[in-house]
Each structure stands twice: as structure tokens, then as C-alpha cells.
């Protein structure tokens, strides 16, 4: 009987070896740059206590947490508890049913009542049945309220904050860490959106130096340069957004304004106008806002002009000074490959940014952001450690994968596979190949012997399917002469060579 | 108000950067060797469908699965369903209660019955209340029977079998894959046993060639040689165990025998004797068994002698031939660093092995197995793909970590950290350091600038804590002369050098 083919949960993925290799290329590129800037890796558990996760991502986020059931120990308690609850609710009913039974005997002559009372006794049986069944259900599967205390990691930021607070006595601040691990969200799966996906975060916590903002911009720059993927790095500052709201005389509508302008990319100026109009922003207020959007000149000049537009907003001017410092540090430390853009429309959804806001977008392909970040002044406050400033960035590894794939930017070297396959026609050939294959491996050449003497065609198909670039054929002639038939699978060229010559060739 | 310090679920771990680096050293060593033998990586999702996992690990295993709750969509359905179920159970009761009410009006004069009936009506209210409450509980938290369809990966073997069946049309056989991912078991946590731990498996499926057994032994040998951790690789064969049972004339007690001798290591011969005696193995049968344990000579000689002891057990002799072939292939392909031991007590708990059984044990430290594996003839049969033979091994990364730590075998190079820290005393110094630091990074030197002008002592403590080996101090003198104070943190030696000289020094 044919079983149904197994499947995997929706929104999750199997990765074959080619995909793993390509993903690894991305992760290792990011890792190398992170470490070059002094960021060191930490890893946190897949499961966190729900008390750590809940309430940190808003109401919507709580719904998207994957909750994990505890194991068996709680079950009997729950069963007892629910059983007792049921009993206390129906105990009165049982009692009256019993008394009615007594009554029935006394008042036996009243046939109608008698009938009703017998029926009631029957119902009592059904209630007892129900009580057992409910108890059983609870005992087997139980209520998640009682038995789910853990959830899957939803992002890397909250676990990082938890880590810092939990290990604060072992950590030297400023603490630079990176983390590259999967996260899980019970979102509706769709193209490019998965329920299991990877985040690559670098954060430094315990310093408010703007040197760090500069370095994070450089990390973005260097990673995408290495990946040969041209990007623009957009910069803004939460304080400038506040300054703009002050200049508009609309401080009370700060949230509405940031939400609206954050969509500038998608809906354009008209969309933002419409949105803000609906939120009660007047035409004259809108005109102030638009002045910020239409600033021209170098990035430094835009900041100068914004500073003037800001009038006497102290917070706005502080934001401008911060961004000017970051630009200054950037230019002192050398040129960047990526375009650096001051972008007053950049707000990002996250409410916890308090200073710099950073976002990276590809320039040669229409696709959303490849990463973003910013400064937050009180991330660890949620776990009771106040007054620690931090700044961080994140890479969207899955989207980066899609872009690199679309632009065919994965280098061939990233697709590691076996370098050479020994093809033999009989047991004798295999035994002849054994020491040679081992010699190859000693030289760090990834080597396989086709493990049984199948037909040539089958063995060659195997080499082709696995994209093995070289094949060595061992036949009687080869064993006699010691010269092996060395075939290049790409060019089709075949030469007779000694094993030493082949090693020299392969190590080129 | 001080919040309680956050915690992580019991049996899980945070890994700090030193631990991550050491673990990475293990994983990368294994990975390199796997790839050298043509094994390529796959990755499977953290969550598998429960239908994939359940029933694959025995009753005990099912209990140890971490089950994940589905997200919100199911809840209203469940609420309706349980509400209806309750209604159908109590509908009769409602009906009779209503009829009693009518009856009460008709039979009003009977005071006693009247009283009872009023009380019953009150109980009906309580039942309705209960119905709502139960419905509510179900709707909020729900029954896991309805809303848990996924579980966390319990091992890498079942997901691998699932993968092979699901992707059989994309795979070229024999399929060599490796997988290094965490798995989760709701076991009681204890020293060295975690609820989240890592497995590193290599398997090849779709070939019964004994070349593969030999290669897997070599992989073990090479990994532990690279790690400088001396091990013995124990070999046995399930068929030999069957042959022994036949020679003992105790085929019916095969399972008892394998379970008992598998504990040889822990309980010794006397323990095994006692255990088998309890299971009804006679003294003369025991003597046959002991002959196998006391065989001496080379490994090949032990096999020869076992072959004789086996009498005419066909299966036993087949097992001997297989192991002899493996030993022969091993010796043809060159010497091994590890001791290869034929070990007739080796059974391993797993019931699915059908041929070779392999186990690796450290020789210089008392600790259990560091890995094991064997051949299985029908792994994918559980998912409907029959007749595919496979063989594989697994590394116990967590225990390997413990052994390497105990024997102080982690090389210093594995502990990557920042190579050089710039220490500055003012903003001017920081700005001076910026381009130099960037020059260092261009040369792939991992470099940090302490991001603010703190006291020297604080900055030096930071370098110490982070084990940064070199520090460059930028003071007024240094900025004037261009000669930087380059300090070796281990030796304490300090020299004045140009940045180019330092780069040359660091790249040595």
C-alpha cells in the first residue's frame, strides 16, 4: 500500500546542498565583516520563556508567536483541576437529582412526575460521562494556559536584550555582538515570506558614541561590496523626525506623520499627502513637510538646509548634528562604495529607535530593503536594566539570497562539491583506487569512489548530476600502466596522467 | 521597582562568544572532513509535521517530542465544536428541566416537589454558565489535539528519511548528505544532557557497498586526528550478533541478548551474566557467548575465530565476511590513527541497524561514546519508499566539546577575537585613528577603536576582558610623530611603529 508522500509545515523549507552552499556564502561574508569590526558571535536558545517574549512585539506580534507545549508532567494536575471544577459546578445538580430519586419513591403514585424523574436520572449518567470525557481531553492534550511556557524565538533583538541583562556581570561594555540564527513567526506564508527565516544582527550596547553608527554603515558597505551587490545606504534620525514635526507645528501627530512618510517609497508624495490630510494635517503644515523632502545638494548640504528649516527645534538640531558627525566620521575613515543618502522619509516601523535610523536598498533591482537598523536608548529596560544605549543593524538573509539569485551573483566557488570521482568497472578497480583516493584526500582534495562497479553511463550521470568537475576512470589498461584517464567534465578533455600529476593539476 | 532577572528554559543554553568559537571549531572540523569524502550539506526545518515524527521513536520518544501550537485560525472552530458537543450532551437535561418547570405550574399544590423543581432550574443556570466557561477556555487556549500539528525536530535521521522520500526525484543515488543542526527532546535536563543539542550526521543512502562503511570509519579517524583527540573505533555487525544468538541456540532471546551485552561497558561480564541468567539464558549458553568475548589476536584473527565459533549460522558468517571486507578496505586505503577494534559486545540501542555497527570512544578519558552509526536497510520504508539501503554515522558535538575542554585541546587560534584595539584620549585622537583603523581592516585585520575617550585604565580593561592581543595608543606625541605606541598585551612589550610597520607585524 503506497503511503502518502510526506510534507513539511507550510512556510518552512528544505535546503538542498546547492542552496545551503549559497546561503553559507552569504552568512560567511557577513560573518567575516562583522568580526573585522570586533563583533563576536553569541547564540541563544531556540525556545525562550513566554514571559521573555510576550508583550515585546505588540498585540499582533503576540499572536504570531509559535508556542511550544511543555512535556507530560503537568497533565495529571490539570486533569484533577478541571475535574474538580466540573464537580463543584454540578454538585448541586447531583444532589437534587439524588433527592428527586428519593422523592420518586415517596411520591410513587404520581406517574407523570415519576417518569420525568427517571429521565432525569438518565441525564445524570450523561453528565457523568461528559465530566469524564472533558477530564480525559484535558488530561491528554491539556490547556495551553497550563502547559505552554515557552515560545520560539521571534527575532534576535529581544533575546539579545534578555542575554545582556542575564549575563550583565560577565559582559564588558561596550558589548559588540553578532548573532545569525533562525527566527519563527506564525505569519501567513506567501512568496518571499516564510515562517522560519534567518536574521543576521550586529549590535553594540553600552555606548552612545556615533563612531558606532559610522562603523555599522561601513559594515553594510563592505558586505555588499564583497557580494558585488550595489546598494544605497539611507540614513535618518528619529530626532530629525521630531524636529520636522515641531517645524510643522504638529508634535501631537508625530506618530501619524512617521507612519505616513515611511510609506513614501510605496505610495509617493501624493499618497503621503492624502494620508496626512486624512489625519488632519493642514495644507500649510504639509508644505513645511514637503520642503524637507525637496532639499537638494550634497548630503551635508541637505543637513545644513534642514537645520535652517527646523527653526528653533532643539531636538531636530541635535539630530542634524548627530547625522553630520556620522557623515564626517565616514568621510574621515575613507570612501565608501555604496551611495550614502540622507533620507528624511526614512522612519521604519519600529518604535524603539531614538537616534540614527539606517536602511539598505539594492539599486539595480526593484526590491524592498535588504536590512536596516538604528539606535535605541533603552532596549534592556524591558528586562529591568535601564539607561543602556545601543545601536544595531540587521541583514535580511533570505531577501539577499533572492536578489543575488536574480542577479546571478553567486560565485561558482561558493558551490562546493566533490572535486573528483573515481569510476571503476570491477572490484579490482575499486581496490586499486582506494589508496589513490586516500592520497588525494590527504592533499585536501574532495574525493569520491563510486562505491560499486555500475555501468559507466550510470557513474558518469552521477558525476554530472552532482556537478563533479573531474572524473578518473580506472580500467585494466590504467591499472597496468599506472597512468589514469583523467577527464575534465566541463571541457570533455581526457588525458592519461599519473596520480601525482593529477594532484598537481587539481591543486592549481 | 526591580524586575526579576530573566531566565531561559531549563535544558537550554546561551553560548557566549568563546563557546561559539570553540563549537565552531568542532563543527568546521567535521564539515571539512565530511566534504572531503563527498558528503554535501542539507538543512531541514526546525518544525516537522507531527505525522512525520510520531511513532518513529517508540512510545517514549513520542512523549519527548516538543509540540508546537498552531496559530489563531483554528480557535473559533474549536469553540463551536466543543460548545455543540456540550449542548448535545446536556440537551436532554435542558428539555426535562423545562418540562419539569411546566409540570411545576400544573402541580403547583405539591410543595415539596415544587421546591425541588425551583432548585433544579437554578442548577440549569449553573450548567449554562459552565458551558460558556468551558467554551471560552477552549476558544482561548484550545485543545492541542486540534491545534498542534507540528513538532520540533527530534533527531536528524527521520527528517533525512522524510527528505529523501519527498525529494526522491531530484536526488541522484547513492545520496551522500551531511547535516549539522540542533534537535530537541523534552528529556529531564541533567549534567551533560540538554533539551536543545546538536547532531552532526553523515549518511549515504541508495548503496549497499561496504566501501561506504570503510569511508565512514576513515571520517571518524580523520576528524578525531584533526582534533588531536585519541579514540578507538569499535566495529560490530548486527548479523554477527544474530550468528552469536544462533550459536548459543537462543535465537528467540535475541533482543534480550543484545540489550544485555550492550551494557558490558558499564556492568562488566558479571553484570551481563546476571542479566542474561535472569532472562533465562543457561550456563552452557552463556559459555558460548563468553567464548566470543574472550577471542584474542589481531582484529582479523578475532573475526576468523568467530567464524569458526559461529558453526553453520549463515547470517553470522555473512556478518563476519562483511566486517572482514571493511577491515580489508581499510588496510588497502592506508593506516588509520585510531585503533580499530572488533567488538562483539557492541549492539547500540537502535533497532534499525541491520549490518555494520560503529561506535567511537575516547581512549584517554573516561567518557561515553562520542558518536556512532551503522547500516540500516529500510530507513525510508517508514515513508513508503522501500528497499533503499543506507549507512551513516553521527558525531555527538556536545560531548566532544566537553572532552576537548577537559583535555584542554581547543587550539588558541580557534578563539577568534579582535586583533587590535585603538586607544584614544580625546576626539582628536579618535579622528586620527579612523583612517588608520580602516586601513587595517582593508588588510583583513580585525580592528576596533574604543568608541569614546574614556580613561586609559578602562580602555585597557576592555582589551584585557576581550582578550585583544594588541593595543595601539594614540596620544599627542603619536599624532605628531606618526609613530604609534604598539603594545603586545601578552608580553607587555611596547614599541613605537608606523601604521605600515604594524600591519606587517600583525600579518606575520
Amino acid at each position: 500500500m503506497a503511503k502518502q508522500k510526506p510534507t513539511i509545515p507550510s512556510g518552512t523549507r528544505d535546503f538542498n546542498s546547492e542552496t545551503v552552499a549559497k546561503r553559507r556564502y552569504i552568512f560567511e561574508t557577513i560573518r567575516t565583516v562583522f568580526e573585522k569590526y570586533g563583533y563576536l558571535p553569541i547564540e541563544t536558545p531556540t525556545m525562550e520563556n513566554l514571559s521573555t517574549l510576550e508583550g515585546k512585539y505588540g498585540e499582533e506580534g503576540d499572536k504570531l508567536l509559535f508556542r511550544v507545549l511543555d512535556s507530560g508532567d503537568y497533565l495529571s494536575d490539570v486533569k484533577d483541576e478541571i475535574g474538580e471544577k466540573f464537580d463543584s459546578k454540578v454538585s448541586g445538580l447531583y444532589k437534587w437529582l439524588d433527592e428527586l430519586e428519593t422523592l420518586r419513591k415517596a411520591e410513587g403514585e404520581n406517574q407523570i412526575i415519576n417518569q420525568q424523574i427517571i429521565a432525569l436520572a438518565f441525564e445524570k449518567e450523561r453528565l457523568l460521562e461528559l465530566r469524564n470525557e472533558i477530564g480525559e481531553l484535558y488530561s491528554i492534550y491539556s490547556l495551553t494556559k497550563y502547559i505552554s511556557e515557552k515560545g520560539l524565538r521571534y527575532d534576535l533583538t529581544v533575546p539579545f536584550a534578555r542575554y545582556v541583562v542575564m549575563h550583565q556581570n560577565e559582559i564588558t561594555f561596550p558589548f559588540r555582538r553578532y548573532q545569525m540564527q533562525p527566527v519563527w513567526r506564525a505569519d501567513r506564508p506567501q512568496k518571499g515570506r516564510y515562517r522560519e527565516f534567518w536574521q543576521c544582527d550586529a549590535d553594540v550596547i553600552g555606548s552612545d558614541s556615533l563612531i558606532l553608527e559610522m562603523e555599522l554603515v561601513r559594515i553594510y558597505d563592505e558586505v555588499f561590496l564583497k557580494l558585488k551587490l550595489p546598494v544605497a545606504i539611507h540614513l535618518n534620525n528619529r530626532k530629525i523626525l521630531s524636529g520636522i514635526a515641531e517645524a510643522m507645528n504638529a508634535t501631537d501627530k508625530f506618530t501619524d506623520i512617521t507612519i505616513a512618510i515611511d510609506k513614501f517609497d510605496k505610495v509617493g508624495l501624493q499618497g503621503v499627502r492624502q494620508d496626512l490630510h486624512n489625519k488632519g494635517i493642514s495644507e500649510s503644515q504639509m508644505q513645511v513637510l514637503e520642503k524637507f523632502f525637496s532639499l537638494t545638494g550634497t548630503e551635508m548640504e541637505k543637513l545644513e538646509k534642514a537645520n535652517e528649516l527646523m527653526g528653533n527645534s532643539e531636538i531636530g538640531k541635535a539630530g542634524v548634528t548627530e547625522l553630520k558627525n556620522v557623515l564626517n566620521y565616514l568621510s574621515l575613515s575613507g570612501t565608501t562604495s555604496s551611495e550614502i543618502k540622507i533620507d528624511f522619509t526614512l522612519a521604519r516601523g519600529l518604535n524603539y529607535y531614538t537616534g540614527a535610523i539606517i536602511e539598505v536598498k539594492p539599486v539595480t533591482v526593484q526590491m524592498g530593503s535588504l536590512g536596516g537598523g538604528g539606535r535605541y536608548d533603552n532596549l534592556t529596560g524591558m528586562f529591568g536594566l535601564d539607561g543602556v544605549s545601543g545601536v544595531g543593524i540587521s541583514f535580511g538573509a533570505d531577501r539577499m539570497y533572492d536578489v543575488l539569485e536574480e542577479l546571478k551573483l553567486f560565485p561558482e566557488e561558493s558551490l562546493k562539491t566533490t572535486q573528483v570521482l573515481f569510476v571503476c568497472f570491477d572490484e579490482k578497480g575499486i581496490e586499486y583506487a582506494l589508496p589513490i583516493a586516500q592520497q588525494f584526500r590527504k592533499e585536501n582534495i574532495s574525493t569520491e569512489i563510486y562505491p560499486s562497479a555500475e555501468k559507466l553511463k550510470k557513474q558518469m550521470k552521477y558525476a554530472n548530476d552532482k556537478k563533479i568537475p573531474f572524473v578518473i576512470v580506472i580500467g585494466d589498461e590504467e591499472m597496468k600502466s599506472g597512468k589514469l584517464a583523467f577527464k575534465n567534465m566541463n571541457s570533455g578533455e581526457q588525458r592519461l596522467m599519473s596520480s601525482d600529476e593529477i594532484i598537481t593539476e587539481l591543486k592549481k
Side-chain angles (χ1 to χ4, degrees), chain A:
Chain A
M1 200 178 67
K3 283 191 187 179
Q4 216 182 342
K5 248 197 184 184
T7 60
I8 52 176
S10 76
T12 70
R13 292 164 288 172
D14 280 331
F15 297 122
N16 66 19
S17 60
E18 187 174 321
T19 309
V20 172
K22 287 175 173 172
R23 288 168 54 84
R24 207 170 138 72
Y25 166 69
I26 296 175
F27 292 135
E28 292 307 303
T29 303
I30 298 173
R31 177 195 307 283
T32 306
V33 179
F34 280 167
E35 292 187 349
K36 212 195 268 188
Y37 284 80
Y39 290 79
L40 295 180
I42 69 163
E43 290 179 11
T44 61
T46 295
M47 295 183 273
E48 292 276 354
N49 290 325
L50 282 176
S51 57
T52 298
L53 300 175
E54 280 175 337
K56 308 304 191 301
Y57 307 106
E59 211 175 303
E60 194 54 31
D62 277 357
K63 282 191 200 147
L64 300 183
L65 290 174
F66 276 113
R67 288 152 203 272
V68 178
L69 289 172
D70 292 340
S71 42
D73 314 313
Y74 299 77
L75 298 180
S76 51
D77 287 354
V78 172
K79 185 178 179 178
D80 290 348
E81 191 173 325
I82 201 70
E84 279 165 25
K85 189 165 195 176
F86 194 94
D87 284 343
S88 79
K89 287 276 179 185
V90 296
S91 63
L93 191 66
Y94 290 167
K95 199 178 123 209
W96 293 116
L97 287 167
D98 287 343
E99 291 193 11
L100 272 175
E101 182 67 12
T102 319
L103 198 65
R104 186 178 68 80
K105 283 172 190 154
E107 307 265 341
E109 68 278 7
N110 186 331
Q111 281 307 308
I112 301 173
I113 291 183
N114 204 9
Q115 252 178 21
Q116 309 287 3
I117 288 168
I118 290 168
L120 267 173
F122 177 70
E123 292 307 319
K124 183 186 170 189
E125 288 307 309
R126 302 204 63 183
L127 266 181
L128 279 169
E129 223 176 80
L130 181 69
R131 179 222 180 282
N132 281 336
E133 190 171 333
I134 289 176
E136 206 57 44
L137 278 172
Y138 276 93
S139 83
I140 296 170
Y141 304 107
S142 288
L143 290 180
T144 68
K145 177 169 91 163
Y146 293 92
I147 60 158
S148 172
E149 296 177 330
K150 295 182 283 290
L152 300 186
R153 190 168 53 220
Y154 182 88
D155 71 358
L156 302 179
T157 307
V158 169
F160 172 54
R162 192 268 308 146
Y163 181 97
V164 168
V165 175
M166 200 168 144
H167 301 282
Q168 53 186 288
N169 299 326
E170 306 144 37
I171 292 172
T172 308
F173 295 95
F175 179 49
R176 292 172 200 244
R177 85 84 173 80
Y178 75 84
Q179 206 171 341
M180 312 204 297
Q181 292 190 280
V183 300
W184 295 267
R185 295 183 188 174
D187 240 326
R188 195 166 294 277
Q190 58 188 59
K191 191 179 176 299
R193 194 203 281 163
Y194 306 102
R195 293 183 147 189
E196 174 175 46
F197 59 98
W198 273 254
Q199 290 188 334
C200 306
D201 285 16
D203 291 81
V204 49
I205 200 161
S207 166
D208 57 7
S209 166
L210 296 167
I211 294 286
L212 302 168
E213 271 85 339
M214 178 275 289
E215 285 183 359
L216 292 170
V217 169
R218 294 213 84 95
I219 287 177
Y220 270 140
D221 183 54
E222 206 165 325
V223 166
F224 288 103
L225 176 65
K226 273 178 192 277
L227 296 174
K228 299 189 173 55
L229 178 58
V231 296
I233 302 170
H234 295 240
L235 294 179
N236 197 7
N237 192 300
R238 192 74 173 190
K239 291 172 187 165
I240 292 181
L241 291 172
S242 297
I244 292 175
E246 282 189 21
M248 291 167 70
N249 203 8
T251 314
D252 56 324
K253 299 215 166 64
F254 178 68
T255 306
D256 288 337
I257 294 171
T258 52
I259 290 175
I261 66 176
D262 201 37
K263 294 181 195 142
F264 197 100
D265 252 16
K266 285 181 197 155
V267 300
L269 181 60
Q270 280 316 310
V272 174
R273 283 191 75 94
Q274 188 57 52
D275 194 358
L276 286 178
H277 178 75
N278 295 345
K279 293 276 155 57
I281 295 291
S282 72
E283 186 53 34
S284 65
Q285 286 176 316
M286 191 64 210
Q287 278 170 10
V288 176
L289 178 62
E290 280 178 36
K291 278 191 198 149
F292 284 92
F293 294 166
S294 53
L295 292 176
T296 55
T298 65
E299 305 315 294
M300 200 59 106
E301 283 164 3
K302 282 198 232 167
L303 285 173
E304 302 280 8
K305 290 175 187 170
N307 202 44
E308 284 168 35
L309 287 178
M310 218 83 81
N312 49 15
S313 161
E314 266 183 51
I315 189 162
K317 284 166 184 291
V320 166
T321 305
E322 285 185 10
L323 271 194
K324 280 167 75 177
N325 272 333
V326 173
L327 287 186
N328 185 40
Y329 287 146
L330 272 170
S331 89
L332 278 172
S333 60
T335 53
T336 55
S337 310
S338 319
E339 196 186 346
I340 309 292
K341 272 187 160 171
I342 298 295
D343 178 355
F344 298 124
T345 72
L346 183 63
R348 290 182 68 85
L350 296 165
N351 279 314
Y352 58 76
Y353 290 136
T354 51
I357 305 173
I358 313 174
E359 193 162 84
V360 183
K361 292 172 186 174
V363 294
T364 54
V365 63
Q366 269 302 37
M367 190 145 340
S369 120
L370 299 176
R375 180 170 289 279
Y376 38 83
D377 270 347
N378 197 18
L379 182 68
T380 54
M382 60 174 96
F383 298 115
L385 183 65
D386 285 320
V388 187
S389 185
V391 59
I393 54 170
S394 185
F395 285 84
D398 289 284
R399 197 174 278 169
M400 284 166 70
Y401 183 97
D402 292 343
V403 176
L404 291 176
E405 192 76 323
E406 186 173 333
L407 298 176
K408 298 193 180 6
L409 287 175
F410 284 110
E412 236 171 81
E413 313 87 78
S414 69
L415 303 180
K416 264 194 165 181
T417 182
T418 301
Q419 272 182 276
V420 58
L421 173 75
F422 282 86
V423 165
C424 311
F425 302 111
D426 49 24
E427 180 68 19
K428 210 169 51 164
I430 291 179
E431 292 190 0
Y432 184 87
L434 282 175
I436 308 176
Q438 208 50 34
Q439 188 193 356
F440 278 42
R441 292 179 185 129
K442 276 221 178 79
E443 300 289 340
N444 289 321
I445 298 164
S446 168
T447 306
E448 282 182 57
I449 299 175
Y450 196 93
S452 52
E454 304 282 348
K455 284 193 182 131
L456 178 66
K457 201 177 155 189
K458 187 166 179 186
Q459 298 192 46
M460 292 310 252
K461 180 180 182 313
Y462 177 83
N464 262 323
D465 286 351
K466 208 168 169 175
K467 295 181 182 156
I468 299 175
F470 300 101
V471 155
I472 294 172
V473 184
I474 310 270
D476 287 344
E477 277 308 309
E478 285 81 4
M479 285 189 266
K480 216 177 286 169
S481 67
K483 291 281 188 182
L484 313 178
F486 178 63
K487 179 168 183 161
N488 181 320
M489 294 293 281
N490 291 316
S491 66
E493 183 200 18
Q494 182 167 321
R495 283 185 291 165
L496 287 173
M497 296 165 79
S498 75
S499 57
D500 285 344
E501 286 165 348
I502 296 174
I503 287 175
T504 310
E505 178 79 16
L506 286 174
K507 293 191 79 176
K508 264 183 198 165

